[in-house]
Amino acid sequence: AQKVTQAQTEISVVEKEDVTLDCVYETRDTTYYLFWYKQPPSGELVFLIRRNSFDEQNEISGRYSWNFQKSTSSFNFTITASQVVDSAVYFCALAPPWDDKIIFGKGTRLHILP
Amino acid sequence: DGGITQSPKYLFRKEGQNVTLSCEQNLNHDAMYWYRQDPGQGLRLIYYSQIVNDFQKGDIAEGYSVSREKKESFPLTVTSAQKNPTAFYLCASSIWAATGELFFGEGSRLTVL
C-alpha cells in the first residue's frame, strides 16, 4: 500500500524562525516521485518541488530546502527565516511513474506569526 | 494567461439536487483531475482523465460523474446520490500523468443546505 503521513497537523512559529515540515511515505516501488505543494488561503495549490526516488541530493531554493532520505522514507521541507507570506497549508505527495494517481498527505497548516 | 478556471467559486444546493462544477484549462494538458478536500482529510481523488473521451474512477467516485468531451474541459457533476457533498472541490491538470507537476484551479466550495 502507498501512503503519505504528515504527522504535524498544525504548526505556529514566530516570523524569522526556521521551521521544518515532516513527511514520511510508504511504498514498495523502487521508482517513484515525491512532491511538495503549498495551498495559500486563496485555495489554489501551488507546486513547489518534484523529486525522483533515484536522486537523493538535497535541494535548496532560496529560503526553501528539502531533505530526502530514502533510508528513513522521509522527504522533509524546511523554511529558513520564515515570513508571514509562508502561512499556508503544505502537502507532501507520492506518485509511482506508471500510475496517474498522486497520493497526498493530509497536510500541515503552518502559521507564521508577526 | 494560461491556467485552470473553476466555476462557480461558491455554490449552494438543496438536498436532492444535482450540481455541475466547471473546470476549463488552456494549458493544452492531456491529463485532468478532480479532488475533494475536507478539513483534516487532505486531498482525495474523485475522477481523472488522461485523454479526451476517457476517464477513470479515483478513490471516492461514488455519487459523482464526469465527462471529457473536449481536451480543455472536465466538468464534475455532484449527484443527489452523494451522501455528504459539502466540501471544497479542486480541479487540476498536468502535461502528463503523475510524473508531471499538477496545476490547480482556485477551487469550488459546495454547500448543501
Side-chain angles (χ1 to χ4, degrees):
Chain A
Q2 310 216 20
K3 187 178 177 182
V4 176
T5 301
Q6 295 180 257
Q8 303 151 309
T9 305
E10 201 159 345
I11 301 174
S12 294
V13 300
V14 177
E15 196 173 19
K16 296 184 183 176
E17 287 185 353
D18 299 347
V19 58
T20 295
L21 308 182
D22 298 332
C23 174
V24 174
Y25 62 92
E26 295 175 28
T27 181
R28 293 182 179 178
D29 299 315
T30 55
T31 301
Y32 50 88
Y33 290 88
L34 295 165
F35 305 82
W36 275 96
Y37 285 85
K38 174 183 179 179
Q39 185 180 37
S42 61
E44 178 181 349
L45 272 79
V46 177
F47 167 85
L48 295 178
I49 190 173
R50 180 183 68 226
R51 172 64 72 218
N52 183 306
S53 57
F54 293 111
D55 183 2
E56 288 195 68
Q57 280 193 337
N58 292 332
E59 181 153 342
I60 297 175
S61 176
R63 296 183 297 107
Y64 294 173
S65 62
W66 291 269
N67 184 325
F68 176 30
Q69 293 199 347
K70 259 177 130 169
S71 60
T72 56
S73 297
S74 65
F75 186 42
N76 296 338
F77 173 32
T78 297
I79 301 175
T80 303
S82 60
Q83 299 176 2
V84 173
V85 293
D86 295 327
S87 297
V89 181
Y90 290 87
F91 291 94
C92 180
L94 166 71
W98 55 83
D99 196 344
D100 300 322
K101 298 182 183 180
I102 296 179
I103 300 157
F104 284 85
K106 293 188 176 182
T108 297
R109 184 175 296 276
L110 177 62
H111 300 278
I112 307 298
L113 308 173
Chain B
D1 286 354
I4 297 185
T5 302
Q6 287 187 241
S7 63
K9 193 163 187 174
Y10 299 96
L11 186 61
F12 297 89
R13 171 195 112 173
K14 292 182 180 179
E15 280 191 21
Q17 290 180 336
N18 292 355
V19 62
T20 296
L21 307 180
S22 170
C23 177
E24 303 278 330
Q25 55 103 354
N26 59 4
L27 299 167
N28 200 32
H29 285 172
D30 287 316
M32 296 188 74
Y33 307 79
W34 273 105
Y35 287 91
R36 170 179 170 143
Q37 185 177 16
D38 296 284
Q41 293 291 324
L43 275 68
R44 292 183 289 171
L45 183 63
I46 305 172
Y47 269 98
Y48 62 101
S49 168
Q50 292 178 276
I51 198 168
V52 174
N53 292 324
D54 186 51
F55 48 82
Q56 285 77 42
K57 293 182 179 180
D59 300 317
I60 55 166
E62 185 175 351
Y64 299 98
S65 66
V66 293
S67 63
R68 187 86 187 275
E69 297 176 2
K70 298 186 294 182
K71 186 175 185 177
E72 58 269 23
S73 178
F74 191 41
L76 173 74
T77 296
V78 185
T79 74
S80 56
Q82 168 52 233
K83 300 297 181 191
N84 185 20
T86 295
F88 188 56
Y89 292 89
L90 285 157
C91 180
S93 71
S94 68
I95 192 165
W96 74 86
T99 55
E101 67 179 89
L102 293 178
F103 290 78
F104 282 85
E106 290 190 340
S108 294
R109 188 168 298 279
L110 172 64
T111 302
V112 174
L113 304 173

